[in-house]
Amino acid sequence: MDAVLNGAIAGATTVLITNPFDLAKTRLQAQGELVAEGHYKRAYSGVINTLMKTSQSEGVLAVQKGLQAAIVFQIIMNGLRFGSYEIVKDIANEQFHLYNSHGYIKVLSNIGISAGVGCFSAFVSSPFNMIKTRLMLQTKDLPCGNRYHYSGLIDAISQIFKQEGLKGLYAGSSIMALRTGLGSAIQLPVFDFTKEHGKQWIKNQTELNMFASANATLWLCLLTCPVEVALTRYFNQQFDKCGNPTVYQGCLHAIKIIFQSEGFLGLYKGLGGLFFRSGPQSFISLLIVNQLNSLRNQKKQ
């Protein structure tokens, strides 16, 4: 339970700082949808430009659009992810002896556990990420903006449930699970591996946590960006009366047609925003969780 609470606290804290970068990432990923580079007028040219234009045209507080949904999303996802990661790891070790003779968890076992808990936490929290995405894209600056009109989190849940039922709330949950499972399979094992093997060079625990977080974030962003773009597009597309998607049928289909229409770089739209969001988010979350765990262990001792 402590691990769940620590993860929830970390997620809720970091989103207050990273939400504007998430908004920039989302809008950059959505612009130029299925149009070749150079054949559309850019609304935004980068992360800072996106935040500046959003503030100028929609007000200073507009950079925090979707904050309420983002907080709920992070509390649920990180609480479940960090909490279940430790629980599943301990249970699996009792049954299958996952640690080697040096006291390190085996890499493949760690990746499997991380991916599994990531998929589970993402699936449960998926509706709030979809709502956050749609709220962030409520803008007249983008041609794809204003596809959905919600006054806030509660109104969004109500409208989606009335029009499409539970199926509508969980649209894109499989892509969400894939993205978070992939992210967890990268982030947590790389963090643990860097932390364990960095002990011999970095003696200060806080500095070691910082270095391990930065390394985990770098690989996280590079490997998950195409899925992030596909997820943003999937969430924001129109659905028919039966709740079926009208453009993107799934993750692989989305990646395929984005690549065909926009080229390889189309799959890396918003990479800067992703890094500025995931960097502090991953760094601060892992740092807070580890510091809280250290305090908990000190109190037990």
Side-chain angles (χ1 to χ4, degrees):
M1 183 56 70
D2 286 339
V4 174
L5 182 61
N6 290 348
I9 292 172
T13 303
T14 55
V15 77
L16 296 172
I17 301 168
T18 61
N19 195 62
F21 298 114
D22 196 8
L23 177 135
K25 171 203 74 78
T26 301
R27 293 189 172 189
L28 287 167
Q29 288 175 336
Q31 76 172 348
E33 186 171 10
L34 300 182
V35 180
E37 185 65 33
H39 289 75
Y40 66 91
K41 184 179 179 180
R42 285 190 177 190
Y44 311 111
S45 60
V47 176
I48 302 302
N49 179 260
T50 303
L51 297 177
M52 289 178 63
K53 282 191 174 180
T54 300
S55 298
Q56 291 169 356
S57 62
E58 302 169 50
V60 176
L61 295 180
V63 298
Q64 288 287 11
K65 274 187 175 180
L67 179 62
Q68 189 179 14
I71 290 174
V72 176
F73 167 65
Q74 287 294 333
I75 287 175
I76 295 173
M77 189 182 73
N78 273 319
L80 288 175
R81 187 161 66 109
F82 283 106
S84 57
Y85 175 69
E86 295 297 333
I87 294 169
V88 173
K89 192 165 66 172
D90 290 342
I91 293 173
N93 183 53
E94 289 179 4
Q95 298 295 321
F96 305 106
H97 307 291
L98 303 182
Y99 288 84
N100 59 30
S101 58
H102 301 289
Y104 303 146
I105 188 169
K106 297 173 185 176
V107 175
L108 290 179
S109 299
N110 203 2
I111 290 174
I113 293 171
S114 300
V117 299
C119 289
F120 170 70
S121 61
F123 182 84
V124 174
S125 60
S126 179
F128 299 99
N129 193 34
M130 177 179 68
I131 292 168
K132 176 202 71 174
T133 299
R134 292 180 178 180
L135 288 170
M136 288 177 170
L137 290 174
Q138 288 187 167
T139 174
K140 295 179 180 179
D141 292 340
L142 284 172
C144 67
N146 291 333
R147 285 182 178 167
Y148 296 93
H149 303 272
Y150 308 132
S151 61
L153 174 60
I154 303 301
D155 180 55
I157 294 173
S158 176
Q159 283 197 45
I160 296 170
F161 190 76
K162 285 179 182 177
Q163 294 168 11
E164 303 168 46
L166 193 61
K167 180 181 178 180
L169 284 172
Y170 276 90
S173 57
S174 60
I175 305 177
M176 181 66 195
L178 172 64
R179 191 267 283 173
T180 309
L182 178 61
S184 295
I186 297 164
Q187 183 189 41
L188 294 176
V190 171
F191 178 80
D192 280 351
F193 181 85
T194 307
K195 188 177 172 184
E196 290 295 339
H197 293 276
K199 287 179 180 178
Q200 52 189 312
W201 298 291
I202 304 174
K203 303 303 180 183
N204 183 279
Q205 188 63 38
T206 301
E207 291 178 0
L208 180 60
N209 287 340
M210 291 170 64
F211 176 72
S213 298
N215 190 39
T217 301
L218 175 63
W219 288 101
L220 175 72
C221 293
L222 290 175
L223 296 176
T224 62
C225 192
V227 183
E228 284 271 359
V229 175
L231 185 64
T232 295
R233 302 283 183 85
Y234 191 95
F235 278 157
N236 194 50
Q237 71 179 322
Q238 295 286 355
F239 292 81
D240 63 23
K241 292 181 180 180
C242 297
N244 299 313
T246 57
V247 181
Y248 308 103
Q249 302 304 311
C251 183
L252 292 179
H253 180 251
I255 289 174
K256 177 184 175 182
I257 62 175
I258 291 169
F259 177 77
Q260 291 173 339
S261 303
E262 304 169 49
F264 178 76
L265 294 181
L267 295 171
Y268 279 87
K269 283 182 176 178
L271 178 61
L274 176 61
F275 184 80
F276 283 116
R277 182 208 71 179
S278 298
Q281 196 173 73
S282 173
F283 176 78
I284 297 171
S285 292
L286 290 170
L287 195 61
I288 290 174
V289 167
N290 276 272
Q291 293 300 103
L292 288 172
N293 286 339
S294 296
L295 289 173
R296 182 188 63 189
N297 292 333
Q298 287 175 12
K299 286 182 179 179
K300 285 182 178 179
Q301 291 173 0

